[in-house]
Amino acid sequence: EVQLVESGGDSVQAGGSLRLDCTASRPIFNGNPMGWFRQAPGKEREAVSCMNWNGRMTYTADSVKGRFTISRNNPQNTVYLQMNSLKPEDTAMYYCAAVALGSGWCVAAGDYWGKGTLVNISS
């Protein structure tokens, strides 16, 4: 069974940057759309940014548009989330997962789901 491991979360001040990494135990990224989600305490998990295998189709939540960028390296079985101009409201557990992706939407799909990495942004 494929496993996903997220890393790169940290505690930083508002305005700072972080890059999150997600690595798969098997080479699944070649054929699967992948995405980043986040969940703050007491809130539902929400899609942040998603992309298909070649990057020609992407989704980015309005709350992070212009600040976060998703990318992937298929030979390395890794997907990234570059986060700039971080705000306190970005504080959450961040997860990667396989997704279903379309124009203007992205939802988790299948059993490909990581355990999360914590991002804590102070004002």
Side-chain angles (χ1 to χ4, degrees), residues 96-119:
C96 67
V99 303
L101 174 66
S103 179
W105 61 270
C106 179
V107 297
D111 296 326
Y112 307 133
W113 193 265
K115 294 184 177 180
T117 185
L118 180 62
V119 172

PDB file of all heavy atoms in Angstrom, residues 96-119:
ATOM      1  N   CYS A  96      -0.833  16.008   2.385  1.00  0.00           N
ATOM      2  CA  CYS A  96      -0.884  15.763   0.956  1.00  0.00           C
ATOM      3  C   CYS A  96      -1.703  14.507   0.707  1.00  0.00           C
ATOM      4  O   CYS A  96      -1.831  13.638   1.574  1.00  0.00           O
ATOM      5  CB  CYS A  96       0.518  15.641   0.340  1.00  0.00           C
ATOM      6  SG  CYS A  96       1.481  14.204   0.855  1.00  0.00           S
ATOM      7  N   ALA A  97      -2.274  14.425  -0.481  1.00  0.00           N
ATOM      8  CA  ALA A  97      -3.124  13.297  -0.819  1.00  0.00           C
ATOM      9  C   ALA A  97      -3.304  13.199  -2.318  1.00  0.00           C
ATOM     10  O   ALA A  97      -3.137  14.186  -3.045  1.00  0.00           O
ATOM     11  CB  ALA A  97      -4.493  13.451  -0.148  1.00  0.00           C
ATOM     12  N   ALA A  98      -3.649  12.008  -2.774  1.00  0.00           N
ATOM     13  CA  ALA A  98      -4.113  11.864  -4.140  1.00  0.00           C
ATOM     14  C   ALA A  98      -5.478  12.535  -4.241  1.00  0.00           C
ATOM     15  O   ALA A  98      -6.249  12.533  -3.273  1.00  0.00           O
ATOM     16  CB  ALA A  98      -4.217  10.392  -4.527  1.00  0.00           C
ATOM     17  N   VAL A  99      -5.771  13.124  -5.389  1.00  0.00           N
ATOM     18  CA  VAL A  99      -6.992  13.901  -5.526  1.00  0.00           C
ATOM     19  C   VAL A  99      -7.686  13.642  -6.850  1.00  0.00           C
ATOM     20  O   VAL A  99      -7.115  13.073  -7.780  1.00  0.00           O
ATOM     21  CB  VAL A  99      -6.704  15.415  -5.419  1.00  0.00           C
ATOM     22  CG1 VAL A  99      -6.021  15.754  -4.106  1.00  0.00           C
ATOM     23  CG2 VAL A  99      -5.856  15.885  -6.605  1.00  0.00           C
ATOM     24  N   ALA A 100      -8.939  14.056  -6.899  1.00  0.00           N
ATOM     25  CA  ALA A 100      -9.648  14.238  -8.153  1.00  0.00           C
ATOM     26  C   ALA A 100      -9.652  15.733  -8.401  1.00  0.00           C
ATOM     27  O   ALA A 100      -9.927  16.518  -7.484  1.00  0.00           O
ATOM     28  CB  ALA A 100     -11.064  13.693  -8.066  1.00  0.00           C
ATOM     29  N   LEU A 101      -9.351  16.134  -9.616  1.00  0.00           N
ATOM     30  CA  LEU A 101      -9.117  17.543  -9.917  1.00  0.00           C
ATOM     31  C   LEU A 101      -9.857  17.953 -11.175  1.00  0.00           C
ATOM     32  O   LEU A 101      -9.858  17.242 -12.180  1.00  0.00           O
ATOM     33  CB  LEU A 101      -7.611  17.775 -10.090  1.00  0.00           C
ATOM     34  CG  LEU A 101      -7.129  19.150 -10.543  1.00  0.00           C
ATOM     35  CD1 LEU A 101      -7.429  20.191  -9.481  1.00  0.00           C
ATOM     36  CD2 LEU A 101      -5.634  19.096 -10.838  1.00  0.00           C
ATOM     37  N   GLY A 102     -10.477  19.124 -11.114  1.00  0.00           N
ATOM     38  CA  GLY A 102     -11.134  19.703 -12.273  1.00  0.00           C
ATOM     39  C   GLY A 102     -10.948  21.202 -12.275  1.00  0.00           C
ATOM     40  O   GLY A 102     -10.244  21.762 -11.430  1.00  0.00           O
ATOM     41  N   SER A 103     -11.600  21.854 -13.198  1.00  0.00           N
ATOM     42  CA  SER A 103     -11.512  23.304 -13.288  1.00  0.00           C
ATOM     43  C   SER A 103     -12.253  23.954 -12.125  1.00  0.00           C
ATOM     44  O   SER A 103     -13.476  23.851 -12.034  1.00  0.00           O
ATOM     45  CB  SER A 103     -12.087  23.789 -14.618  1.00  0.00           C
ATOM     46  OG  SER A 103     -12.028  25.192 -14.717  1.00  0.00           O
ATOM     47  N   GLY A 104     -11.502  24.545 -11.196  1.00  0.00           N
ATOM     48  CA  GLY A 104     -12.107  25.243 -10.080  1.00  0.00           C
ATOM     49  C   GLY A 104     -12.437  24.394  -8.866  1.00  0.00           C
ATOM     50  O   GLY A 104     -13.072  24.893  -7.934  1.00  0.00           O
ATOM     51  N   TRP A 105     -12.024  23.129  -8.865  1.00  0.00           N
ATOM     52  CA  TRP A 105     -12.297  22.277  -7.712  1.00  0.00           C
ATOM     53  C   TRP A 105     -11.247  21.199  -7.544  1.00  0.00           C
ATOM     54  O   TRP A 105     -10.556  20.824  -8.494  1.00  0.00           O
ATOM     55  CB  TRP A 105     -13.685  21.643  -7.807  1.00  0.00           C
ATOM     56  CG  TRP A 105     -13.876  20.761  -9.012  1.00  0.00           C
ATOM     57  CD1 TRP A 105     -14.327  21.140 -10.246  1.00  0.00           C
ATOM     58  CD2 TRP A 105     -13.625  19.357  -9.093  1.00  0.00           C
ATOM     59  NE1 TRP A 105     -14.372  20.056 -11.085  1.00  0.00           N
ATOM     60  CE2 TRP A 105     -13.956  18.946 -10.412  1.00  0.00           C
ATOM     61  CE3 TRP A 105     -13.174  18.401  -8.193  1.00  0.00           C
ATOM     62  CZ2 TRP A 105     -13.830  17.628 -10.840  1.00  0.00           C
ATOM     63  CZ3 TRP A 105     -13.041  17.083  -8.615  1.00  0.00           C
ATOM     64  CH2 TRP A 105     -13.377  16.711  -9.924  1.00  0.00           C
ATOM     65  N   CYS A 106     -11.127  20.668  -6.316  1.00  0.00           N
ATOM     66  CA  CYS A 106     -10.198  19.598  -5.994  1.00  0.00           C
ATOM     67  C   CYS A 106     -10.680  18.906  -4.723  1.00  0.00           C
ATOM     68  O   CYS A 106     -10.971  19.560  -3.721  1.00  0.00           O
ATOM     69  CB  CYS A 106      -8.793  20.155  -5.780  1.00  0.00           C
ATOM     70  SG  CYS A 106      -7.560  18.910  -5.344  1.00  0.00           S
ATOM     71  N   VAL A 107     -10.760  17.566  -4.762  1.00  0.00           N
ATOM     72  CA  VAL A 107     -11.170  16.784  -3.603  1.00  0.00           C
ATOM     73  C   VAL A 107     -10.253  15.586  -3.449  1.00  0.00           C
ATOM     74  O   VAL A 107      -9.704  15.081  -4.422  1.00  0.00           O
ATOM     75  CB  VAL A 107     -12.628  16.303  -3.714  1.00  0.00           C
ATOM     76  CG1 VAL A 107     -13.587  17.490  -3.762  1.00  0.00           C
ATOM     77  CG2 VAL A 107     -12.814  15.432  -4.958  1.00  0.00           C
ATOM     78  N   ALA A 108     -10.087  15.119  -2.211  1.00  0.00           N
ATOM     79  CA  ALA A 108      -9.282  13.938  -1.963  1.00  0.00           C
ATOM     80  C   ALA A 108      -9.940  12.724  -2.593  1.00  0.00           C
ATOM     81  O   ALA A 108     -11.167  12.615  -2.641  1.00  0.00           O
ATOM     82  CB  ALA A 108      -9.099  13.727  -0.468  1.00  0.00           C
ATOM     83  N   ALA A 109      -9.112  11.788  -3.065  1.00  0.00           N
ATOM     84  CA  ALA A 109      -9.615  10.589  -3.712  1.00  0.00           C
ATOM     85  C   ALA A 109      -8.715   9.404  -3.389  1.00  0.00           C
ATOM     86  O   ALA A 109      -7.501   9.551  -3.250  1.00  0.00           O
ATOM     87  CB  ALA A 109      -9.690  10.788  -5.218  1.00  0.00           C
ATOM     88  N   GLY A 110      -9.319   8.231  -3.260  1.00  0.00           N
ATOM     89  CA  GLY A 110      -8.560   7.022  -3.008  1.00  0.00           C
ATOM     90  C   GLY A 110      -7.998   6.953  -1.600  1.00  0.00           C
ATOM     91  O   GLY A 110      -8.440   7.657  -0.691  1.00  0.00           O
ATOM     92  N   ASP A 111      -6.997   6.077  -1.425  1.00  0.00           N
ATOM     93  CA  ASP A 111      -6.404   5.842  -0.110  1.00  0.00           C
ATOM     94  C   ASP A 111      -5.063   6.529   0.079  1.00  0.00           C
ATOM     95  O   ASP A 111      -4.377   6.285   1.078  1.00  0.00           O
ATOM     96  CB  ASP A 111      -6.228   4.342   0.116  1.00  0.00           C
ATOM     97  CG  ASP A 111      -7.539   3.591   0.159  1.00  0.00           C
ATOM     98  OD1 ASP A 111      -8.535   4.166   0.644  1.00  0.00           O
ATOM     99  OD2 ASP A 111      -7.579   2.423  -0.285  1.00  0.00           O
ATOM    100  N   TYR A 112      -4.674   7.397  -0.863  1.00  0.00           N
ATOM    101  CA  TYR A 112      -3.383   8.062  -0.795  1.00  0.00           C
ATOM    102  C   TYR A 112      -3.506   9.324   0.043  1.00  0.00           C
ATOM    103  O   TYR A 112      -3.978  10.363  -0.437  1.00  0.00           O
ATOM    104  CB  TYR A 112      -2.866   8.386  -2.194  1.00  0.00           C
ATOM    105  CG  TYR A 112      -2.842   7.200  -3.125  1.00  0.00           C
ATOM    106  CD1 TYR A 112      -3.347   7.300  -4.416  1.00  0.00           C
ATOM    107  CD2 TYR A 112      -2.316   5.982  -2.713  1.00  0.00           C
ATOM    108  CE1 TYR A 112      -3.324   6.216  -5.275  1.00  0.00           C
ATOM    109  CE2 TYR A 112      -2.296   4.888  -3.565  1.00  0.00           C
ATOM    110  CZ  TYR A 112      -2.795   5.014  -4.841  1.00  0.00           C
ATOM    111  OH  TYR A 112      -2.775   3.929  -5.688  1.00  0.00           O
ATOM    112  N   TRP A 113      -3.073   9.266   1.319  1.00  0.00           N
ATOM    113  CA  TRP A 113      -3.232  10.354   2.282  1.00  0.00           C
ATOM    114  C   TRP A 113      -2.102  10.333   3.294  1.00  0.00           C
ATOM    115  O   TRP A 113      -1.815   9.291   3.887  1.00  0.00           O
ATOM    116  CB  TRP A 113      -4.577  10.203   2.987  1.00  0.00           C
ATOM    117  CG  TRP A 113      -5.004  11.387   3.755  1.00  0.00           C
ATOM    118  CD1 TRP A 113      -4.819  11.611   5.080  1.00  0.00           C
ATOM    119  CD2 TRP A 113      -5.704  12.531   3.244  1.00  0.00           C
ATOM    120  NE1 TRP A 113      -5.353  12.816   5.437  1.00  0.00           N
ATOM    121  CE2 TRP A 113      -5.902  13.401   4.334  1.00  0.00           C
ATOM    122  CE3 TRP A 113      -6.183  12.895   1.986  1.00  0.00           C
ATOM    123  CZ2 TRP A 113      -6.561  14.622   4.187  1.00  0.00           C
ATOM    124  CZ3 TRP A 113      -6.826  14.113   1.848  1.00  0.00           C
ATOM    125  CH2 TRP A 113      -7.011  14.952   2.937  1.00  0.00           C
ATOM    126  N   GLY A 114      -1.462  11.483   3.518  1.00  0.00           N
ATOM    127  CA  GLY A 114      -0.381  11.562   4.474  1.00  0.00           C
ATOM    128  C   GLY A 114      -0.883  11.809   5.880  1.00  0.00           C
ATOM    129  O   GLY A 114      -2.080  11.976   6.121  1.00  0.00           O
ATOM    130  N   LYS A 115       0.047  11.861   6.834  1.00  0.00           N
ATOM    131  CA  LYS A 115      -0.286  12.083   8.237  1.00  0.00           C
ATOM    132  C   LYS A 115      -0.118  13.527   8.676  1.00  0.00           C
ATOM    133  O   LYS A 115      -0.467  13.873   9.802  1.00  0.00           O
ATOM    134  CB  LYS A 115       0.558  11.168   9.130  1.00  0.00           C
ATOM    135  CG  LYS A 115       0.242   9.690   8.939  1.00  0.00           C
ATOM    136  CD  LYS A 115       1.017   8.821   9.903  1.00  0.00           C
ATOM    137  CE  LYS A 115       0.645   7.356   9.744  1.00  0.00           C
ATOM    138  NZ  LYS A 115       1.391   6.489  10.694  1.00  0.00           N
ATOM    139  N   GLY A 116       0.411  14.373   7.826  1.00  0.00           N
ATOM    140  CA  GLY A 116       0.447  15.796   8.089  1.00  0.00           C
ATOM    141  C   GLY A 116       1.759  16.325   8.648  1.00  0.00           C
ATOM    142  O   GLY A 116       2.538  15.601   9.250  1.00  0.00           O
ATOM    143  N   THR A 117       1.974  17.623   8.438  1.00  0.00           N
ATOM    144  CA  THR A 117       3.092  18.347   9.026  1.00  0.00           C
ATOM    145  C   THR A 117       2.564  19.684   9.532  1.00  0.00           C
ATOM    146  O   THR A 117       1.766  20.343   8.868  1.00  0.00           O
ATOM    147  CB  THR A 117       4.240  18.538   8.009  1.00  0.00           C
ATOM    148  OG1 THR A 117       5.365  19.150   8.653  1.00  0.00           O
ATOM    149  CG2 THR A 117       3.805  19.398   6.823  1.00  0.00           C
ATOM    150  N   LEU A 118       2.986  20.080  10.719  1.00  0.00           N
ATOM    151  CA  LEU A 118       2.417  21.246  11.390  1.00  0.00           C
ATOM    152  C   LEU A 118       3.086  22.538  10.959  1.00  0.00           C
ATOM    153  O   LEU A 118       4.319  22.656  10.971  1.00  0.00           O
ATOM    154  CB  LEU A 118       2.533  21.087  12.905  1.00  0.00           C
ATOM    155  CG  LEU A 118       1.979  22.232  13.758  1.00  0.00           C
ATOM    156  CD1 LEU A 118       0.476  22.387  13.534  1.00  0.00           C
ATOM    157  CD2 LEU A 118       2.278  21.983  15.230  1.00  0.00           C
ATOM    158  N   VAL A 119       2.250  23.518  10.611  1.00  0.00           N
ATOM    159  CA  VAL A 119       2.707  24.867  10.279  1.00  0.00           C
ATOM    160  C   VAL A 119       2.090  25.827  11.287  1.00  0.00           C
ATOM    161  O   VAL A 119       0.872  25.878  11.433  1.00  0.00           O
ATOM    162  CB  VAL A 119       2.297  25.268   8.850  1.00  0.00           C
ATOM    163  CG1 VAL A 119       2.602  26.744   8.594  1.00  0.00           C
ATOM    164  CG2 VAL A 119       3.012  24.392   7.835  1.00  0.00           C
TER     165      VAL A 119
END
